[in-house]
Amino acid sequence: AGVRGRARDETDPEEQLRTAGDREWAGDAAGAERLYRAIIEADPGHGEAHYFLSRIALLDRRHGEAAALLEKAVALQPEEALY
């Protein structure tokens, strides 16, 4: 059972995004990266997944990849103030 008695839908992109964030905060960057990439594979237009993946790439010193991912996030969601 999930939050408030609901079953968790592990295929839901927003649920995957929350799980990836939880993994990232717990120090499992590799696990978070796998989930962010799965979200992007299923929905190439998911700006948040691009943004969060860019943060992991930056921390891993993959600067070119981080910049490209962040540029994609901005292009997908130009109204998002976070990035």
Side-chain angles (χ1 to χ4, degrees):
V3 177
R4 298 186 192 130
R6 293 179 309 173
R8 294 178 72 174
D9 181 0
E10 297 296 330
T11 63
D12 174 56
E14 297 313 307
E15 183 65 35
Q16 287 179 318
L17 194 67
R18 282 188 291 276
T19 300
D22 290 345
R23 288 186 181 178
E24 187 176 350
W25 283 106
D28 181 11
E33 181 169 350
R34 281 191 298 276
L35 282 172
Y36 293 138
R37 289 190 186 281
I39 294 166
I40 292 168
E41 184 176 327
D43 179 6
H46 200 291
E48 286 177 288
H50 282 87
Y51 167 71
F52 289 117
L53 184 55
S54 79
R55 294 180 350 156
I56 290 176
L58 183 62
L59 291 172
D60 199 32
R61 299 182 184 196
R62 300 185 318 243
H63 299 119
E65 180 183 0
L69 287 162
L70 183 56
E71 287 175 6
K72 182 72 172 181
V74 171
L76 290 167
Q77 292 183 289
E79 73 286 351
E80 178 56 58
L82 179 61
Y83 42 85

